[in-house]
Amino acid sequence: MASHPGQLQPLAAQAARLDAEHAATDLRDRFLLPSGVVYLDGNSLGALPAAVPAALERVVREEWGRDLVSSWNAADWWNAPTRVGDLVGRLVGSARGQVVVGDTTTLRLYQALRAAAVMRPGAGVLVTDAGSFPTDLYMAHEVAAEVGWRVELADPDDLPAVLERIAAGGERVAAVAFSHVDYRTGRLWDLPGLVAATHRVGALAIVDLCHSAGALPVGLDDSGVDLAVGCTYKFLNGGPGSPAYLYVPARHQAAFANPVPGWHGHADPFAMTGTYEPAEGVARARTGTPPMLSLAALEAALTAFDGVDVAAVRIRSLSLTRFLRACLEALVPGVDVVTPRDDERRGSQVSVRDEHAYGIVQALIGRGVVGDFRAPDVVRLGVAAPYLTHTEMLTAAAAYADVLEAGEHLDERYARRSIVT
Ligand SMILES: Cc1ncc(COP(=O)(O)O)c(C=O)c1O
């Protein structure tokens, strides 16, 4: 922290006071993080929960190595997708029996969109946000082409007006698909409001929870969301490539037609019949053999949330992101924070727009502050509240100021981008 010594002292005192105030929600000891690193990329790959290594070792050595194929019954591997689904469900406001884990968010989106087309026969429009994550847009256009929908791109802020305009024009909207939190800006959309607007025109609300699950209360059941998907490797800390999930509320399960019908979603899988008959409940959304080692890692990872109310995580997260923004604004002249200042509209990250964003991210990583870059010009600082402190927010902002002051971000080493940014 070379720069701005006069400003640092009061901010350091404030950080210490806030850390003391929020001591009860500091869950750092439930995670294994390298020392000397301020990890602000938990919105891309969450940190390693302390329970995971031993749990994986046990599953590999005992359930796989010793008990072999019997573990499908004895260790209940078969029901892991719905068992772990219930654990995820608790964290996103779903009653039991409505979430299934496995496959990728991309595939889960395909299932949700195709199922929506069956549930709204004759409706011809899919409304989605142009700022959605690329995979969501690819899937929207792909499914639209398959089922004959027209895709209307709308900013979620304009959704009620757009839906009314479409309805007034005589078209029926099948579904509205959007992300709860914008992956680039960290903007949090009003879920109950968007769902209500969607239902007013008779459409289904499909939500991507990748950037909200585990970071803030989602309230799926309370909001009346129709279908939801999400990944588990971000704020749920499931590990690289950990399986995604799909939420199908009980009221829609009978009508849910799985467009990827596989034997694990069959009513009687070991009857080995040649005709598909869907299982009862959310299990019908299963596809093929689940990634058991990844599921075991995720199940262990979720114990980091044992006894934790996501509402408390949210309070800590808001305080951290509020303070990170304040530190950036105090220490970095002209910083352009694109994440909303308003608590109600902010997810769990602070994003800064800068034409040199890539170089800034790399230079920060060089100083042990790990964030990421999102094209074209965004520095993303993800804030996974359970394992971060206010003092680390200040460390990150001071490093940001120092990078800019020293011009480190302009170093020619950063002129060429790696595959993963
Ligand atoms: C908002 C959002 N949706 C979808 C995806 C893609 O998820 P997957 O790689 O599991 O298909 C991501 C990945 O980061 C994401 O951030």
Side-chain angles (χ1 to χ4, degrees), residues 336-375:
D336 181 11
V337 177
V338 295
T339 304
R341 189 182 295 278
D342 181 358
D343 282 0
E344 307 278 292
R345 315 205 91 190
R346 188 169 74 248
S348 202
Q349 73 194 57
V350 174
S351 294
V352 177
R353 185 158 279 148
D354 193 297
E355 61 175 313
H356 300 297
Y358 184 76
I360 293 170
V361 167
Q362 295 307 311
L364 281 172
I365 292 171
R367 286 172 171 263
V369 175
V370 181
D372 63 20
F373 164 80
R374 284 296 174 265

Coordinates of all heavy atoms in Angstrom, one line a residue, residues 336-375:
D336 N -14.6 4.3 -12.6 CA -16.0 4.2 -13.2 C -16.6 2.9 -12.8 O -16.6 1.9 -13.5 CB -15.9 4.3 -14.7 CG -17.2 4.3 -15.4 OD1 -18.3 4.4 -14.7 OD2 -17.2 4.1 -16.7
V337 N -17.3 2.9 -11.6 CA -17.9 1.7 -11.1 C -19.2 1.6 -11.8 O -20.1 2.5 -11.7 CB -18.1 1.8 -9.6 CG1 -18.9 0.6 -9.1 CG2 -16.8 1.9 -8.8
V338 N -19.4 0.4 -12.5 CA -20.7 0.2 -13.2 C -21.7 -0.6 -12.5 O -22.9 -0.7 -12.9 CB -20.4 -0.4 -14.6 CG1 -19.6 0.5 -15.5 CG2 -19.8 -1.8 -14.5
T339 N -21.3 -1.1 -11.4 CA -22.3 -1.9 -10.5 C -23.1 -0.9 -9.8 O -22.6 0.1 -9.2 CB -21.5 -2.7 -9.5 OG1 -20.6 -3.6 -10.3 CG2 -22.4 -3.6 -8.7
P340 N -24.4 -1.1 -9.7 CA -25.3 -0.2 -9.0 C -24.9 0.1 -7.6 O -24.5 -0.8 -6.8 CB -26.7 -0.8 -9.1 CG -26.6 -1.7 -10.3 CD -25.2 -2.2 -10.3
R341 N -25.0 1.4 -7.2 CA -24.7 1.8 -5.8 C -25.8 1.3 -4.9 O -25.6 1.0 -3.7 CB -24.6 3.3 -5.8 CG -24.1 4.0 -4.5 CD -24.2 5.5 -4.6 NE -23.2 6.0 -5.6 CZ -21.9 6.2 -5.5 NH1 -21.4 5.9 -4.3 NH2 -21.2 6.6 -6.4
D342 N -27.0 1.3 -5.4 CA -28.2 1.0 -4.6 C -28.2 -0.5 -4.2 O -28.1 -1.4 -5.0 CB -29.4 1.3 -5.5 CG -30.8 1.0 -4.9 OD1 -30.8 0.6 -3.7 OD2 -31.8 1.2 -5.6
D343 N -28.3 -0.7 -2.9 CA -28.3 -2.1 -2.4 C -29.3 -3.0 -3.0 O -29.0 -4.2 -3.3 CB -28.6 -2.1 -0.8 CG -27.4 -1.7 0.0 OD1 -26.3 -1.4 -0.6 OD2 -27.5 -1.7 1.2
E344 N -30.4 -2.5 -3.3 CA -31.5 -3.3 -3.9 C -31.2 -3.8 -5.3 O -31.8 -4.7 -5.8 CB -32.8 -2.5 -4.0 CG -33.2 -1.8 -2.7 CD -34.0 -2.8 -1.9 OE1 -35.1 -3.1 -2.2 OE2 -33.4 -3.1 -0.8
R345 N -30.3 -3.1 -5.9 CA -30.0 -3.4 -7.3 C -28.6 -4.0 -7.6 O -28.1 -4.1 -8.7 CB -30.1 -2.1 -8.2 CG -31.4 -1.3 -7.9 CD -31.8 -0.5 -9.0 NE -32.8 -1.3 -9.8 CZ -33.2 -0.9 -11.0 NH1 -32.8 0.2 -11.6 NH2 -34.1 -1.6 -11.7
R346 N -27.9 -4.4 -6.5 CA -26.6 -4.8 -6.6 C -26.4 -6.3 -6.2 O -26.9 -6.7 -5.2 CB -25.7 -4.0 -5.7 CG -24.2 -4.2 -5.8 CD -23.4 -3.2 -5.1 NE -23.4 -3.3 -3.6 CZ -23.9 -2.5 -2.8 NH1 -24.6 -1.4 -3.2 NH2 -23.9 -2.8 -1.5
G347 N -25.8 -7.1 -7.1 CA -25.5 -8.5 -6.7 C -24.3 -8.5 -5.8 O -24.2 -7.7 -4.9
S348 N -23.4 -9.5 -6.0 CA -22.3 -9.6 -5.1 C -20.9 -9.4 -5.8 O -20.0 -10.2 -5.6 CB -22.4 -11.0 -4.4 OG -21.7 -10.9 -3.2
Q349 N -20.8 -8.3 -6.5 CA -19.6 -8.0 -7.1 C -19.5 -6.5 -7.3 O -20.5 -5.8 -7.2 CB -19.5 -8.7 -8.5 CG -20.4 -8.0 -9.6 CD -20.5 -8.9 -10.8 OE1 -21.0 -10.1 -10.7 NE2 -20.2 -8.4 -12.0
V350 N -18.3 -6.0 -7.6 CA -18.1 -4.6 -8.0 C -17.4 -4.6 -9.3 O -16.2 -5.1 -9.4 CB -17.3 -3.8 -6.9 CG1 -17.0 -2.4 -7.3 CG2 -18.1 -3.8 -5.6
S351 N -18.0 -4.1 -10.3 CA -17.3 -4.0 -11.7 C -17.0 -2.6 -12.0 O -17.7 -1.7 -11.7 CB -18.3 -4.6 -12.7 OG -18.6 -5.9 -12.5
V352 N -15.8 -2.5 -12.6 CA -15.3 -1.2 -13.0 C -15.0 -1.2 -14.5 O -14.5 -2.2 -15.0 CB -13.9 -0.9 -12.3 CG1 -13.3 0.4 -12.7 CG2 -14.1 -0.9 -10.8
R353 N -15.4 -0.1 -15.2 CA -15.2 -0.1 -16.6 C -13.9 0.7 -16.8 O -13.7 1.8 -16.2 CB -16.4 0.6 -17.3 CG -16.3 0.7 -18.8 CD -17.7 0.8 -19.4 NE -18.4 -0.4 -19.4 CZ -19.8 -0.5 -19.3 NH1 -20.5 0.5 -19.1 NH2 -20.3 -1.7 -19.4
D354 N -13.0 0.2 -17.7 CA -11.8 0.9 -18.0 C -11.3 0.3 -19.3 O -11.3 -0.9 -19.5 CB -10.8 0.7 -16.9 CG -9.6 1.6 -17.0 OD1 -8.8 1.5 -18.0 OD2 -9.4 2.4 -16.1
E355 N -10.8 1.2 -20.2 CA -10.3 0.7 -21.5 C -9.1 -0.2 -21.3 O -8.8 -1.0 -22.2 CB -9.9 1.9 -22.4 CG -8.9 2.8 -21.9 CD -8.4 3.8 -22.9 OE1 -8.2 3.5 -24.1 OE2 -8.3 5.0 -22.5
H356 N -8.4 -0.1 -20.2 CA -7.3 -1.0 -19.9 C -7.6 -2.1 -18.9 O -6.8 -2.6 -18.2 CB -6.1 -0.2 -19.3 CG -5.7 0.9 -20.2 ND1 -5.1 0.7 -21.5 CD2 -5.7 2.3 -20.1 CE1 -4.8 1.8 -22.1 NE2 -5.2 2.8 -21.3
A357 N -8.9 -2.5 -18.9 CA -9.4 -3.5 -17.9 C -8.5 -4.7 -17.9 O -8.2 -5.2 -16.8 CB -10.8 -3.8 -18.2
Y358 N -8.2 -5.3 -19.0 CA -7.4 -6.5 -19.0 C -6.1 -6.4 -18.3 O -5.7 -7.2 -17.5 CB -7.2 -7.1 -20.5 CG -6.5 -8.4 -20.5 CD1 -7.3 -9.6 -20.2 CD2 -5.2 -8.5 -20.8 CE1 -6.6 -10.8 -20.1 CE2 -4.6 -9.8 -20.7 CZ -5.3 -10.9 -20.4 OH -4.7 -12.1 -20.3
G359 N -5.4 -5.3 -18.7 CA -4.1 -5.1 -18.1 C -4.2 -4.8 -16.6 O -3.4 -5.3 -15.8
I360 N -5.2 -4.1 -16.2 CA -5.5 -3.9 -14.7 C -5.7 -5.2 -14.0 O -5.0 -5.4 -12.9 CB -6.7 -2.9 -14.5 CG1 -6.3 -1.5 -15.1 CG2 -7.1 -2.8 -13.1 CD1 -7.5 -0.6 -15.2
V361 N -6.5 -6.1 -14.6 CA -6.7 -7.4 -13.9 C -5.4 -8.2 -13.8 O -5.1 -8.7 -12.7 CB -7.8 -8.2 -14.7 CG1 -7.9 -9.6 -14.2 CG2 -9.2 -7.5 -14.5
Q362 N -4.7 -8.2 -14.8 CA -3.4 -9.0 -14.8 C -2.4 -8.4 -13.8 O -1.8 -9.1 -13.0 CB -2.8 -9.0 -16.2 CG -3.6 -9.8 -17.2 CD -4.0 -11.2 -16.7 OE1 -3.2 -12.0 -16.2 NE2 -5.3 -11.5 -16.8
A363 N -2.3 -7.0 -13.8 CA -1.4 -6.4 -12.8 C -1.9 -6.6 -11.4 O -1.1 -6.8 -10.5 CB -1.3 -4.9 -13.1
L364 N -3.2 -6.6 -11.2 CA -3.7 -6.9 -9.8 C -3.4 -8.3 -9.4 O -3.0 -8.6 -8.3 CB -5.2 -6.7 -9.8 CG -5.7 -5.3 -9.7 CD1 -7.2 -5.2 -9.9 CD2 -5.3 -4.6 -8.3
I365 N -3.5 -9.3 -10.4 CA -3.2 -10.7 -10.0 C -1.7 -10.8 -9.6 O -1.4 -11.5 -8.7 CB -3.5 -11.6 -11.2 CG1 -5.1 -11.7 -11.4 CG2 -3.0 -13.0 -11.0 CD1 -5.5 -12.4 -12.7
G366 N -0.9 -10.0 -10.3 CA 0.5 -10.0 -10.0 C 0.8 -9.5 -8.6 O 1.8 -9.8 -8.0
R367 N -0.2 -8.7 -8.0 CA 0.0 -8.2 -6.7 C -0.9 -9.1 -5.7 O -1.1 -8.7 -4.5 CB -0.5 -6.8 -6.6 CG 0.4 -5.8 -7.2 CD -0.2 -4.4 -7.2 NE 0.8 -3.4 -7.6 CZ 1.4 -2.6 -6.7 NH1 1.2 -2.7 -5.4 NH2 2.3 -1.7 -7.2
G368 N -1.4 -10.2 -6.2 CA -2.1 -11.1 -5.3 C -3.6 -10.8 -5.1 O -4.2 -11.3 -4.2
V369 N -4.1 -9.9 -5.9 CA -5.5 -9.6 -5.9 C -6.2 -10.2 -7.1 O -6.0 -9.7 -8.2 CB -5.7 -8.0 -5.8 CG1 -7.2 -7.7 -5.9 CG2 -5.1 -7.5 -4.6
V370 N -6.9 -11.3 -6.9 CA -7.4 -12.0 -8.1 C -8.8 -11.7 -8.4 O -9.8 -12.0 -7.7 CB -7.3 -13.6 -7.8 CG1 -7.7 -14.4 -9.0 CG2 -5.8 -13.9 -7.5
G371 N -9.0 -11.0 -9.5 CA -10.3 -10.7 -10.1 C -10.3 -11.3 -11.5 O -9.5 -12.1 -11.8
D372 N -11.3 -10.8 -12.3 CA -11.2 -11.2 -13.7 C -11.7 -10.1 -14.6 O -12.2 -9.1 -14.2 CB -11.9 -12.6 -14.0 CG -13.4 -12.6 -13.7 OD1 -14.0 -11.5 -13.7 OD2 -14.0 -13.7 -13.6
F373 N -11.5 -10.4 -15.9 CA -11.8 -9.4 -17.0 C -12.9 -9.9 -17.8 O -13.0 -11.1 -18.1 CB -10.5 -9.2 -17.9 CG -10.8 -8.6 -19.2 CD1 -10.9 -7.2 -19.3 CD2 -10.9 -9.4 -20.4 CE1 -11.2 -6.6 -20.5 CE2 -11.2 -8.8 -21.6 CZ -11.3 -7.4 -21.7
R374 N -13.9 -9.1 -18.1 CA -14.9 -9.5 -19.0 C -15.0 -8.5 -20.2 O -15.1 -7.3 -19.9 CB -16.3 -9.6 -18.3 CG -16.4 -10.9 -17.5 CD -16.3 -12.1 -18.3 NE -16.3 -13.4 -17.5 CZ -15.2 -14.0 -17.2 NH1 -14.0 -13.6 -17.5 NH2 -15.3 -15.2 -16.5
A375 N -14.9 -9.0 -21.4 CA -14.9 -8.1 -22.6 C -16.2 -7.3 -22.6 O -17.2 -7.8 -22.2 CB -14.8 -9.0 -23.8

